[in-house]
Amino acid sequence: AQSVTQLGSHVSVSEGALVLLRCNYSSSVPPYLFWYVQYPNQGLQLLLKYTSAATLVKGINGFEAEFKKSETSFHLTKPSAHMSDAAEYFCAVSAEYGNKLVFGAGTILRVKS
Amino acid sequence: DTAVSQTPKYLVTQMGNDKSIKCEQNLGHDTMYWYKQDSKKFLKIMFSYNNKELIINETVPNRFSPKSPDKAHLNLHINSLELGDSAVYFCASSLAGRADTQYFGPGTRLTVL
């Protein structure tokens, strides 16, 4: 079975500050890990994914995430927040060649000017 | 061109009614999914079809019946709607066995009064 825990349902940062959204996973098989972003009233958009290649994954809009097996974590970071980053972010896990994604509960990112 | 489309975008209806949500993908994918996002934004898979065959049914009430007339379409029919069915329903698609690369539709917001 697989599961994902996102620590912090709401995160607030100032514009220009570091963004850190936390995700820990549980998986009985080597996982594939994902971060999706959902802007208000829109569908989900893939930010980045880890599929057992490089542990540091770069995604769109300046985001990146690092897979740490020892910590079972896949935290999402961005060096400098922009107002347009305000959205809800979902971490998800699947098995290699699996047939479903299991999502975390989501973290709402607020960016203050 | 829209990759994964859903209709309608918004659906407001009374308890007890029967309604359908349609999903179409033009990506040539073999696998399609339905997810439910509840009021707390928790996103959970409901069904998955591969080449018109059901491969995932996540303990969803049998009032929900997915129908796949062909591999480009996966419609969701809901009988006897209940207040708790109010949610945003997302359709997604991927290549067979590749849940790691899913494309999501824009969502259908269902409100049951």
Side-chain angles (χ1 to χ4, degrees), chain B residues 67-108:
Chain B
K67 288 184 172 55
S68 183
D70 55 61
K71 73 175 191 177
H73 296 82
L74 181 61
N75 304 323
L76 184 64
H77 188 76
I78 315 171
N79 289 327
S80 303
L81 278 156
E82 301 178 355
L83 293 176
D85 298 332
S86 295
V88 181
Y89 292 84
F90 287 100
C91 178
S93 73
S94 74
L95 293 171
R98 294 305 305 271
D100 61 299
T101 308
Q102 292 186 33
Y103 293 81
F104 283 79
T108 295

Side-chain angles (χ1 to χ4, degrees), chain A residues 37-45 88 90 103, chain B residues 4-6 8-9 21-23 32-38 41-47 74 76 87-93 102-110:
Chain A
V37 60
Q38 185 179 26
Y39 297 102
N41 299 314
Q42 293 187 27
L44 287 96
Q45 181 181 359
E88 186 153 15
F90 292 91
F103 285 87
Chain B
V4 182
S5 59
Q6 296 179 226
K9 188 171 183 180
I21 306 172
K22 295 185 177 182
C23 178
M32 297 184 72
Y33 313 78
W34 276 109
Y35 290 85
K36 179 181 179 180
Q37 186 177 44
D38 61 24
K41 295 297 191 76
F42 188 61
L43 196 67
K44 187 174 180 183
I45 191 164
M46 300 172 66
F47 299 104
L74 181 61
L76 184 64
V88 181
Y89 292 84
F90 287 100
C91 178
S93 73
Q102 292 186 33
Y103 293 81
F104 283 79
T108 295
R109 182 174 294 276
L110 171 65

Side-chain angles (χ1 to χ4, degrees), chain A residues 4-32:
Chain A
V4 167
T5 302
Q6 290 183 241
L7 301 174
S9 58
H10 292 77
V11 170
S12 183
V13 301
S14 299
E15 193 172 18
L18 171 72
V19 175
L20 171 61
L21 304 183
R22 298 177 187 273
C23 172
N24 287 88
Y25 70 91
S26 172
S27 179
S28 56
V29 297
Y32 281 9

Side-chain angles (χ1 to χ4, degrees), chain A residues 19-76:
Chain A
V19 175
L20 171 61
L21 304 183
R22 298 177 187 273
C23 172
N24 287 88
Y25 70 91
S26 172
S27 179
S28 56
V29 297
Y32 281 9
L33 293 158
F34 311 82
W35 277 99
Y36 282 84
V37 60
Q38 185 179 26
Y39 297 102
N41 299 314
Q42 293 187 27
L44 287 96
Q45 181 181 359
L46 181 66
L47 270 180
L48 50 81
K49 65 179 179 181
Y50 165 76
T51 56
S52 73
T55 55
L56 182 62
V57 182
K58 294 188 185 298
I60 62 173
N61 301 338
F63 283 93
E64 62 182 36
E66 187 172 7
F67 171 69
K68 291 187 177 180
K69 185 177 179 180
S70 60
E71 298 177 8
T72 61
S73 69
F74 191 58
H75 302 329
L76 181 70

Side-chain angles (χ1 to χ4, degrees), chain B residues 51-68:
Chain B
N51 278 324
K52 304 193 297 175
E53 290 189 26
L54 181 66
I55 56 173
I56 293 177
N57 182 342
E58 292 280 316
T59 59
V60 176
N62 58 15
R63 297 182 296 104
F64 290 78
S65 53
K67 288 184 172 55
S68 183

